[in-house]
Amino acid sequence: LAQQSSMLGFILPDSAGGDGNVVIEAEQIRNVSLAETCQFLKQELSPLVWDSCSPLLIDSWEANVLGSPSAQIWIPPPAQGPPVVEGIFSQTTEKLHGVFVGATRAELPSAVTQEIVDRTWLLSLLFQRLGYVGRCSFDLILVGDTLSQCRVEFIECNGRWGGMSLFMTLMARIFGDWADQPFGVRVAYHIPGLERVQFVDLLNRFREELFDVRT
């Protein structure tokens, strides 16, 4: 891979939000000995705390990425009907290794949106026929020079509730249809002292700004 790529990505498949990603320049291990490569990777991959018996995905790291959409799917039992593509969101990532920090509703060319819907729905139908039931999402990247001519690539499947599906479902429960009330999600990993705050404290602090179903 180092001979044909400019960047390489090392990814722990069971991590979330990009926290299990390490990205390096391929030239750093190009045309060096296996022993040197091994020593270099041991040092670079140390932040992953990787157990060498666990899976590790290694692939070319795309450089010309225009966006990272996420398709949110609900897969019911077969007797209740086919899968539903409930929403497509544009994810915001930071740093070279793509750490997830938030998302908003995707605004993509109609042809790109339709391709994402078609392909994720077909995959979800396959999942359903294999016995999967429940919440699922697919992360993709759009690769190319323009959105109108980009290549849609799947990079991850999350068979669980996640960073967007929780908020999308909450908004749908409150407003009936999440799409009628545009919203964004921003992840804050470190808020000092938050663990000492009780829920009643939050209610008192944000009382005037909280949604009240009665009004």
Side-chain angles (χ1 to χ4, degrees):
L1 281 174
Q3 303 303 320
Q4 52 191 291
S5 308
S6 59
M7 307 289 287
L8 295 176
F10 298 79
I11 303 169
L12 289 177
D14 61 352
S15 62
D19 286 332
N21 298 353
V22 169
V23 181
I24 68 168
E25 295 181 4
E27 65 178 5
Q28 295 179 280
I29 57 172
R30 194 178 295 147
N31 302 320
V32 300
S33 70
L34 184 59
E36 291 174 302
T37 300
C38 183
Q39 185 60 37
F40 174 78
L41 290 181
K42 280 184 177 180
Q43 178 179 335
E44 292 296 309
L45 300 184
S46 59
L48 294 182
V49 195
W50 173 51
D51 174 4
S52 59
C53 296
S54 302
L56 181 70
L57 173 65
I58 307 172
D59 206 345
S60 298
W61 188 264
E62 297 282 3
N64 55 336
V65 174
L66 300 171
S68 179
S70 169
Q72 302 299 322
I73 317 292
W74 180 256
I75 304 178
Q80 295 181 14
V84 180
V85 181
E86 291 191 306
I88 300 176
F89 296 87
S90 292
Q91 300 183 102
T92 302
T93 60
E94 292 182 347
K95 303 179 181 179
L96 178 63
H97 53 288
V99 176
F100 173 81
V101 294
T104 58
R105 182 179 182 176
E107 299 290 345
L108 299 170
S110 58
V112 176
T113 299
Q114 192 62 54
E115 181 179 355
I116 293 173
V117 170
D118 291 346
R119 292 175 65 184
T120 54
W121 186 86
L122 285 171
L123 269 176
S124 302
L125 184 63
L126 173 62
F127 279 28
Q128 185 187 53
R129 293 183 176 180
L130 290 171
Y132 185 91
V133 173
R135 176 62 62 196
C136 190
S137 69
F138 296 98
D139 291 338
L140 309 97
I141 53 174
L142 308 177
V143 184
D145 296 322
T146 63
L147 282 175
S148 60
Q149 297 180 321
C150 65
R151 185 173 78 254
V152 177
E153 292 190 8
F154 286 83
I155 59 171
E156 189 172 47
C157 168
N158 296 305
R160 55 174 171 76
W161 290 85
M164 283 310 302
S165 56
L166 288 165
F167 296 101
M168 177 190 71
T169 303
L170 174 64
M171 295 296 287
R173 291 284 180 90
I174 294 175
F175 295 104
D177 182 354
W178 67 265
D180 289 340
Q181 185 72 26
F183 72 99
V185 172
R186 176 73 182 184
V187 177
Y189 288 108
H190 303 291
I191 302 179
L194 186 62
E195 71 279 2
R196 297 189 297 274
V197 177
Q198 297 184 16
F199 187 58
V200 67
D201 297 327
L202 294 177
L203 290 178
N204 291 332
R205 169 61 180 82
F206 295 108
R207 186 169 301 281
E208 299 303 319
E209 299 161 28
L210 295 176
F211 177 82
D212 189 334
V213 69
R214 296 168 298 183
T215 59

